[in-house]
Amino acid sequence: MPRDPRAYLWDVREAVADIQGFVAGLDLSAYVASGLVHSAVERKFEIIGEALNQLAKLDPVLAERVPRLPEIVAFRNQLIHGYAAIAHERVWATIQTALPTLAETVQALLTELGEE
């Protein structure tokens, strides 16, 4: 039985909230200095990318409504396969600029679909 598409959106929403909690009160230098924090953040970005990748396979029409989905999946792939070349500044910039928009989009989609 296929997974409910909302489940992937729930996973994204939870991972976004976790990232925001992990970095609350930090600046870039504190983020970079904490191996624990940036490892946890990267793992949550991997979950976000994989959840959206699976959503795109299950419900491409719904997935198309997530802005920059291919870039998010590519970012996930870079984190997993190119882990040795991760620029903490890029991850930090993504947290600051792209994560709020993703959070808003996912919440809007869940509200529209009925969260249950």
Side-chain angles (χ1 to χ4, degrees), residues 13 21 26 30 45:
R13 181 176 62 187
L26 300 181
F45 271 122

Side-chain angles (χ1 to χ4, degrees), residues 6-62:
R6 292 174 300 178
Y8 294 112
L9 295 172
W10 291 325
D11 291 344
V12 172
R13 181 176 62 187
E14 291 302 312
V16 166
D18 287 344
I19 291 170
Q20 290 170 330
F22 297 159
V23 302
L26 300 181
D27 61 9
L28 174 60
S29 61
Y31 171 77
V32 171
S34 176
L36 179 64
V37 171
H38 62 74
S39 294
V41 165
E42 290 169 15
R43 173 67 179 139
K44 293 299 181 171
F45 271 122
E46 291 167 2
I47 290 169
I48 290 168
E50 183 60 21
L52 292 176
N53 188 41
Q54 293 302 317
L55 177 64
K57 292 175 185 175
L58 180 65
D59 191 338
V61 173
L62 179 60

